Amino acid sequence: MANSTFSGPVRSQNGFETVSINSTTGAVTVTSTLGIDTSVTTLAATTVTATNLVFTDQNHPTTAAINATATATAAEVATGYITSTSAAATTITLPTGTSLGAAISATRGTVLDLFVDNTAGANTVTIAVATNGILSAAAAAGSSAGAGLLTVPSGVTGLACFRIMFSSATAYVFSRIA
């Protein structure tokens, strides 16, 4: 059978299978399956080159440094890892839903985990959302109650993980998950 190349999305209601065919007997063997219940637990960096895939056990080969109050670019957030070493209190405003969605080719259901590392900083980092970014109910309640869900302390406890979930290609909900 010939190879096929598609320029648009490929869809299937019943999943996808990779098969091998024995050249002698013609027997078909399923070598891998991708379906709705598929999960990825191990990923060798040499076997997959992809963009816009998000795995929870991430290695971030590139990070973005934001050391003063600023609006993060879509490219900086797309790295999934932002560091801050500021001595002054810093507010990082996320990019608009439209620009971040375009940067990662987001569609409804796209999820991006964003780690903020302030362990080398000397003051608090606060995260803010921009146009088409909506705080989750838990983050909004915690923020107004002073629970600090949108702040990342400095020093050894200065790590946080936020989840950005797209409800469309141009709008996201922002939550702190750790």
Side-chain angles (χ1 to χ4, degrees):
M1 176 179 262
N3 290 330
S4 298
T5 302
F6 301 92
S7 61
V10 177
R11 300 171 127 185
S12 170
Q13 291 181 324
N14 298 314
F16 296 92
E17 293 180 339
T18 303
V19 299
S20 65
I21 301 174
N22 185 303
S23 60
T24 305
T25 65
V28 177
T29 304
V30 176
T31 56
S32 65
T33 302
L34 179 63
I36 194 157
D37 294 327
T38 303
S39 64
V40 176
T41 56
T42 304
L43 181 65
T46 57
T47 55
V48 175
T49 301
T51 57
N52 307 328
L53 292 177
V54 178
F55 299 97
T56 54
D57 294 328
Q58 295 179 3
N59 178 12
H60 298 278
T62 58
T63 63
I66 300 177
N67 297 313
T69 293
T71 296
T73 66
E76 289 171 328
V77 173
T79 68
Y81 203 100
I82 293 176
T83 62
S84 183
T85 59
S86 179
T90 301
T91 297
I92 300 172
T93 302
L94 298 176
T96 67
T98 301
S99 65
L100 184 56
I104 65 170
S105 300
T107 60
R108 182 173 167 241
T110 299
V111 175
L112 172 69
D113 285 347
L114 173 63
F115 296 86
V116 177
D117 182 345
N118 191 29
T119 56
N123 212 315
T124 301
V125 171
T126 301
I127 307 298
V129 296
T131 304
N132 296 340
I134 300 166
L135 291 176
S136 69
S143 178
S144 64
L149 293 177
L150 299 178
T151 61
V152 183
S154 60
V156 295
T157 60
L159 288 170
C161 183
F162 299 93
R163 180 156 288 157
I164 301 169
M165 301 173 289
F166 281 82
S167 57
S168 72
T170 60
Y172 62 82
V173 175
F174 184 75
S175 304
R176 183 166 182 162
I177 60 173

